[in-house]
Amino acid sequence: MTDYAARRTMMVDTQVRPSDVTKFPIIDAMLSVPREAFVPDRLREAAYLGENLDLGEGRVMLDPRTLAKMLDALDIEGDDLVLDIGAAHGYSSAVIARMAEAVVGVEADAALVEEAQRTLLEHGADNVIMQQGDLATGAPDHGPYDVILLQGAVEHLPEAIADQLKEGGRMACLFIEAALGVVRIGYKIDGRLNWRYAFNAGAPVLPGFERHAAFTL
């Protein structure tokens, strides 16, 4: 029988802590949430690898280092309302739920939303609402949000998403810049996002966040 708890500890000790992520709430959450429960059955044995997991159709589950460093930079607090875009099977939302007051996860596929909500409840994440909808639309009915993060890369950030961030809130985006993936943290000040570099990472662009092609004659 696979000892997933031991793999979880190894993930934290070899991928998360060496990336200068040492805040107790993040470490505790990543040690507590069973990553293998939030992936397709075919990926359970690969759940703790230090790389993005291919979920199919151009989607991935972000590697533990990238998610942990995003959470570290966002500094989520216990009274925060968080929007988790591209939550897939719910792992990121389950981790965030242990740090925030509530989480709204968004996914486009209704069956995936139902599966993720069921798994989240099975593992005690009863402060997460999974909502079905277009990723680029977000979940405006539950906002505005203190924190927004995207579980994939961005070439273009829709105004609809930026508008759902509270004044004084922060957002983590993995921007594709030329051949590089750069995670930046945006702080909403006087109604505008001010971006600061955080670290480099890689992931496919989320549906709806592609750069618009320029029109030419």
Side-chain angles (χ1 to χ4, degrees), residues 13-189:
D13 288 345
T14 63
Q15 300 175 49
V16 177
R17 293 184 196 272
S19 299
D20 296 324
V21 178
T22 58
K23 292 174 183 171
F24 175 78
I26 301 173
I27 298 298
D28 181 61
M30 297 191 84
L31 284 173
S32 301
V33 177
R35 190 173 166 92
E36 75 280 0
F38 293 91
V39 299
D41 289 343
R42 62 182 174 82
L43 293 177
R44 287 176 70 89
E45 288 299 311
Y48 292 96
L49 294 180
E51 59 190 45
N52 294 333
L53 293 185
D54 185 359
L55 300 176
E57 299 183 359
R59 295 289 304 281
V60 299
M61 180 181 190
L62 291 179
D63 70 276
R65 169 191 174 273
T66 297
L67 177 61
K69 286 180 73 66
M70 279 185 171
L71 297 176
D72 185 64
L74 288 167
D75 200 19
I76 294 171
E77 300 179 352
D79 58 352
D80 282 338
L81 174 61
V82 180
L83 176 62
D84 188 22
I85 297 176
H89 295 265
Y91 174 73
S92 54
S93 293
V95 171
I96 297 165
R98 297 182 69 90
M99 295 179 275
E101 181 172 349
V103 184
V104 178
V106 179
E107 261 305 332
D109 182 82
L112 182 55
V113 166
E114 183 179 346
E115 175 195 323
Q117 189 74 75
R118 183 170 58 250
T119 307
L120 285 158
L121 290 173
E122 286 173 357
H123 292 278
D126 56 3
N127 59 336
V128 180
I129 297 172
M130 286 295 297
Q131 179 166 310
Q132 187 272 329
D134 180 63
L135 300 187
T137 301
D141 291 347
H142 297 285
Y145 300 92
D146 300 288
V147 176
I148 298 175
L149 68 164
L150 290 83
Q151 303 299 323
V154 173
E155 289 179 331
H156 163 76
L157 182 66
E159 286 188 18
I161 300 300
D163 288 346
Q164 291 170 53
L165 188 65
K166 283 182 183 178
E167 178 70 20
R170 56 260 188 232
M171 176 187 302
C173 287
L174 199 177
F175 290 98
I176 299 300
E177 301 179 357
L180 296 175
V182 179
V183 175
R184 298 186 185 278
I185 306 299
Y187 300 85
K188 198 166 197 178
I189 302 171

